[in-house]
Amino acid sequence: MSDDGGLWLLAIGPTGAAALYWALYRFYRNTDKSHAFERETAVDAKPVTGSNDKVDKITGTRQTRIDGDNVAAYRKRVQRVE
Amino acid sequence: MSNTQGPPPLPPPPVPASPGPGSPQDVPPLPGELGVDPTTLPGPIRDELLAPDPQAIDTASDELKDGLNRCPKCGSTDIRQRAGTDLLICLYCRHEWRGERVEEAFGFGEGIDQLSGTVIASGARDIAADAASLMTFKCTGCGAEVTVNTDHAMTARCHWCRHVFGVNEQIPNGAVPDAVLPFHIKQDDAVARIRQFVDKRRLFALKAFKEQFTPENVVGVYLPYMIVDGNVSADVAGHGEVETRRYTRGNDKNKQTYYDADVYRIDRHVDFTVDDLPIESSATRGNLDTGTNTNNIINAILPFDTKNAVKWNASYLSGFTSEKRDRDVEQLRPRLEDQLLSIARAQVHASVARFDRGVRWEQERLAVHGTRWVAMYLPVWLYSYHQPGRNGGMLHYIAVNGRTGETMGSVPIQQWKLLSVALTVGTFLEGAALWFLAHAS
């Protein structure tokens, strides 16, 4: 067991308490619930079109995902182009 | 994104992200998703979490036909909806008949891909600035004057001769929509669903709430919605990354994983139509700020089977209360466009599956070719509880969809109880971690 591994373990207590609190809070108050219109609305879509252009290459990053990944955060608005 | 040549310095200890209380602005979790593994929790909490949810009932209804406020057989005005059905029944001669479905009557389900401009049904027109809530009828039976307050009810009975008056003409005060979706879930059923919902959440519920809990006080309310069809195109653009290599560096005690990736500039275009998207047309109900109210609970029981809505007939509202619309089409348009953009993002998701390190959308564009707006009353059983507190406290709702029986609610929490359990569990986990460290070193 290394020193940094030990420090990481010390976070278990507060993290576990916070996770249990928020999970039960959500179960009672359901603040995260809303109409899932993305899934539950009848949508008739034509095939998606578009392009992919390779513009860069990354080597040796430790990030597991792209910066600002919002592919599943449909309700987070980005710059609106008119 | 970074370009590094050698092993970088050691990172700070990773702390797992707290799931947080959530918000209606987040995409809601999938049904059955809890955010915590119930098997690791104490028995009583686990039992609450795992107890079955209320079952939705089958809402399929038969074809509906014409309906009038006067009984077509005997002319009586004492007409009600037959509970649990879309039928109207004359309480005088017991004759029964159905209202006509707006879907067939006005062709609301057709030609969505041909929609152009903004098509507004007559009941969805702008609300007149001088519109009043009180409407007075002169009783044709006895001459008395009968007043209906359209803020809360659409029918009233003459206190002298017992004629029933309904607000059946579309007056420009936003009270009379184009269509109404009658209640299918009976009050007894709604009471059972609310009781079951609360029974699953008793352990940490506010003591006063448990003591005063009387689900028999549930109220049937018709809430105002705009049902919108849309014909739109959307574009999104951003960057995505594809992993090309994964490797580890460092010695046995300090292994780190590194990634190489290709970065792509991505753009996507999609044309689509949406059918019957419901939007709250009351400013109060449309405010989904969970910090100040629990309206997201009512929003969460959507959608309704709006295809079965019938032409407006106030007789369906007899015995129920109603809320009036106070938002016009133009005021609701930003909300619609926001939801259409979200739908567009969901539609293009599958097309970027190859970008296994994710996609960062940076720009989006929406072109609304055409929309069709229909004002509709939708049936909701509402149980409410006012929790005293700062800034007027909080009004908690438990809502039951009057058609499908889908139930969602907000149960006030006994904070000290929940906090003490969370701290106890945290202390136990910390103790276990310390014990592990002491024995591992």
Side-chain angles (χ1 to χ4, degrees), chain A residues 8 21 28 31 53 60 74 77, chain B residues 4 14 21 48 349 364 415:
Chain A
W8 181 85
Y21 178 88
Y28 276 64
T31 47
D53 298 318
Y74 312 136
R77 296 275 70 85
Chain B
T4 52
E48 274 201 347
H349 192 162
E364 56 193 0
Q415 287 287 356

Side-chain angles (χ1 to χ4, degrees), chain B residues 81-217:
Chain B
Q81 180 204 351
R82 187 171 163 187
T85 71
D86 289 343
L87 290 171
L88 291 172
I89 183 168
C90 172
L91 297 183
Y92 188 72
C93 70
R94 315 305 292 178
H95 178 62
E96 293 179 2
W97 71 99
R98 293 178 189 278
E100 188 180 6
R101 293 209 313 182
V102 287
E103 195 79 0
E104 281 90 29
F106 303 114
F108 284 151
E110 299 162 5
I112 301 174
D113 57 342
Q114 305 299 322
L115 276 177
S116 176
T118 304
V119 180
I120 301 177
S122 56
R125 285 176 302 195
D126 288 357
I127 301 162
D130 58 348
S133 294
L134 296 178
M135 295 194 66
T136 303
F137 296 87
K138 196 167 186 65
C139 177
T140 53
C142 67
E145 289 200 334
V146 180
T147 301
V148 180
N149 184 346
T150 58
D151 279 344
H152 311 292
M154 301 301 278
T155 57
R157 185 187 288 276
C158 172
H159 39 276
W160 299 110
C161 68
R162 300 182 64 74
H163 260 316
V164 176
F165 291 90
V167 184
N168 268 331
E169 289 181 31
Q170 279 178 352
I171 45 177
N173 70 350
V176 180
D178 298 292
V180 57
L181 190 61
F183 274 89
H184 256 195
I185 297 291
K186 297 179 186 173
Q187 184 176 14
D188 291 349
D189 194 357
V191 168
R193 288 166 193 273
I194 292 169
R195 196 181 294 282
Q196 189 181 8
F197 186 89
V198 171
D199 282 347
K200 279 185 71 175
R201 293 165 177 81
R202 280 190 174 274
L203 201 58
F204 299 107
L206 196 68
K207 192 179 174 195
F209 171 82
K210 286 191 281 190
E211 287 171 354
Q212 296 168 23
F213 179 59
T214 44
E216 290 76 15
N217 290 348

